[in-house]
């Protein structure tokens, strides 16, 4: 609602309304960001991101960025630091490339080493938007090393957050950088000592293979893990989520791997099409056209369509 109010004030009187936004609305939001109640703090963070879209570039540094940087350096309040890192990512587009390269990246990299695991966990989810703004080279050279530290953190909760965020971060990089920098991380996360980290990585595996776009970029071990996950899902207590994610991404994996991989993917395809869960079977049915386009008309008639006609 703060965003709507800001838009109304500025539209009604561009100069006076803008001053009202700067002097009053931003002040209120800044106060709410210090509240202890997490719902209030999160609402204020969302409001600040919306308000920032109405601000002129020269106000972004003085009125917004410095507030967030101050929060990120509050050694007495880990909630403030966790909120700050979310804001650094959420405000990236409004901040622009120069501010992101000069201040935002430095803030995020610093918070990767925060003593509080909850802050490091929040940081693991806060890379993608910044990476999009600063560009592939800076993201690869400055953000990827920081993300690697979080993906190998001592706390399983931080690694789990990194696993859950890996694909979003990957999509902000050029595909060659995804292969070079993030494939090794995914392989490590899939073999992590924590079951919860492993499960999160497995849920993301199909999305990750799909984002590599070509079979030449996908290590044999990743595809083998994807196939094995589908085959084991019926005996896995977490199978409902795992099998659905595999089904939801199956067409993307097939497209990335190409027709030559169909002998490996056919049996998993059949298994997902017969899955006990309706949502899994629906996901397969919704993307059958992509599978058909990839394998060609002959294999579609012989091995794809029969699964939906049975």
């Amino acid at each position: 609602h703060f965003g709507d109010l800001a838009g109304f004030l500025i539209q009604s009187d561009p100069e006076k309304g803008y001053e009202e936004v700067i002097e009053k609305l931003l002040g209120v939001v800044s106060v709410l960001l210090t509240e202890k109640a997490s719902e209030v703090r999160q609402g204020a963070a969302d409001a600040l991101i919306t308000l920032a879209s109405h601000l002129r570039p020269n106000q972004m540094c003085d009125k917004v960025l410095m507030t967030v940087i101050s929060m990120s350096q509050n050694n007495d309040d880990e909630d403030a630091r966790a909120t700050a890192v979310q804001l650094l990512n959420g405000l990236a587009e409004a901040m622009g490339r120069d501010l992101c390269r000069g201040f935002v990246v430095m803030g995020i990299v610093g918070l990767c080493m925060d003593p509080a695991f909850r802050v490091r966990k929040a940081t693991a989810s806060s890379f993608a938007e910044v990476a999009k703004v600063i560009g592939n080279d800076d993201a690869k050279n400055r953000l990827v090393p920081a993300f690697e530290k979080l993906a190998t953190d001592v706390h399983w909760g931080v690694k789990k957050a990194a696993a859950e965020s890996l694909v979003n971060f990957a999509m902000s990089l050029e595909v060659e950088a995804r292969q070079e920098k993030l494939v090794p991380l995914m392989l490590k996360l899939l073999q992590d000592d924590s079951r919860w980290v492993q499960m999160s990585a497995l849920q993301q595996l199909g999305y990750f293979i799909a984002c590599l776009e070509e079979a030449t970029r996908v290590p044999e071990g990743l595809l083998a893990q994807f196939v094995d996950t589908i085959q084991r899902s019926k005996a896995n207590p977490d199978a409902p989520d795992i099998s659905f994610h595999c089904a939801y991404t199956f067409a993307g994996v097939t497209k990335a791997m190409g027709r030559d991989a169909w002998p490996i993917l056919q049996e998993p395809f059949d298994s997902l099409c017969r899955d006990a869960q309706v949502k899994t079977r629906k996901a397969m049915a919704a993307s059958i056209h992509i599978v058909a386009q990839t394998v060609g008309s002959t294999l579609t008639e012989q091995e794809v369509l029969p699964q939906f006609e049975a």
Side-chain angles (χ1 to χ4, degrees):
H1 298 306
F2 276 99
D4 293 338
L5 180 56
F8 172 77
L9 289 171
I10 294 171
Q11 189 174 22
S12 299
D13 188 327
E15 291 305 321
K16 186 176 180 181
Y18 186 78
E19 291 179 7
E20 293 283 317
V21 170
I22 294 295
E23 300 301 328
K24 295 184 178 179
L25 291 188
L26 274 179
V28 171
V29 170
S30 297
V31 171
L32 293 176
L33 283 170
T34 65
E35 286 287 326
K36 287 296 182 183
S38 59
E39 297 87 353
V40 176
R41 196 189 297 250
Q42 187 59 53
D46 294 340
L48 183 58
I49 292 172
T50 304
L51 281 176
S53 66
H54 296 282
L55 300 185
R56 298 166 187 167
N58 63 330
Q59 300 288 343
M60 287 300 301
C61 184
D62 294 341
K63 300 297 184 180
V64 177
L65 179 58
M66 290 303 105
T67 296
V68 179
I69 293 295
S70 177
M71 291 172 62
S72 74
Q73 297 173 347
N74 186 340
N75 294 328
D76 298 322
D77 189 346
E78 67 180 63
D79 289 331
R81 301 197 302 277
T83 301
V85 76
Q86 294 173 14
L87 283 168
L88 289 172
N89 187 55
L91 289 164
E93 183 178 359
M95 292 285 185
R97 191 169 188 232
D98 289 343
L99 286 180
C100 282
R101 292 177 69 191
F103 296 95
V104 174
V105 171
M106 187 164 45
I108 287 178
V109 171
L111 289 167
C112 289
M113 298 177 284
D114 195 276
F117 85 88
R118 290 176 58 250
V119 177
R120 301 196 306 277
K121 180 180 176 181
T123 306
S125 305
S126 301
F127 281 76
E129 297 307 314
V130 177
K132 291 176 186 175
V133 172
I134 65 175
N136 184 75
D137 289 344
D138 276 332
K140 185 171 70 171
N141 295 328
R142 301 177 67 188
L143 290 182
V144 169
F147 190 84
E148 288 173 342
K149 291 180 181 178
L150 297 174
T152 55
D153 196 271
V154 295
H155 196 285
W156 69 268
V158 179
K159 291 184 288 186
K160 181 175 182 290
E164 292 168 346
S165 305
L166 183 64
V167 173
N168 281 340
F169 184 34
M171 293 301 292
S172 67
L173 302 173
E174 293 179 2
V175 68
E176 290 80 8
R178 301 172 200 171
Q179 176 192 13
E180 176 191 356
K181 299 294 186 179
L182 299 186
V183 165
L185 283 187
M186 175 57 87
L187 290 169
K188 286 182 181 179
L189 291 166
L190 288 167
Q191 300 299 322
D192 194 83
D193 292 338
S194 166
R195 174 174 174 269
W196 301 111
V197 175
Q198 286 186 27
M199 295 306 297
S200 293
L202 285 173
Q203 286 186 357
Q204 295 297 313
L205 180 56
Y207 302 91
F208 186 69
I209 293 174
C211 87
L212 293 175
E213 297 183 2
E214 293 181 4
T216 55
R217 299 191 181 100
V218 181
E220 184 178 336
L222 276 187
L223 183 62
Q225 182 86 65
F226 181 73
V227 170
D228 184 65
T229 299
I230 295 171
Q231 305 295 29
R232 291 173 177 267
S233 63
K234 292 181 181 178
N236 192 318
D238 299 295
D241 282 338
I242 293 292
S243 63
F244 171 73
H245 283 288
C246 288
Y248 192 85
T249 60
F250 189 88
V253 171
T254 303
K255 183 177 180 181
M257 298 307 301
R259 181 177 177 176
D260 290 345
W262 184 245
I264 299 172
L265 292 170
Q266 181 191 358
E267 188 175 343
F269 173 80
D270 294 346
S271 177
L272 289 171
C273 288
R274 298 192 302 266
D275 193 87
Q277 283 195 112
V278 173
K279 68 176 183 178
T280 298
R281 300 197 303 274
K282 282 185 175 180
M284 294 299 291
S287 58
I288 186 176
H289 61 290
I290 298 174
V291 175
Q293 289 169 1
T294 302
V295 303
S297 58
T298 300
L299 287 174
T300 296
E301 291 177 8
Q302 294 175 353
E303 300 176 3
V304 176
L305 290 178
Q307 290 298 326
F308 294 93
E309 295 170 349

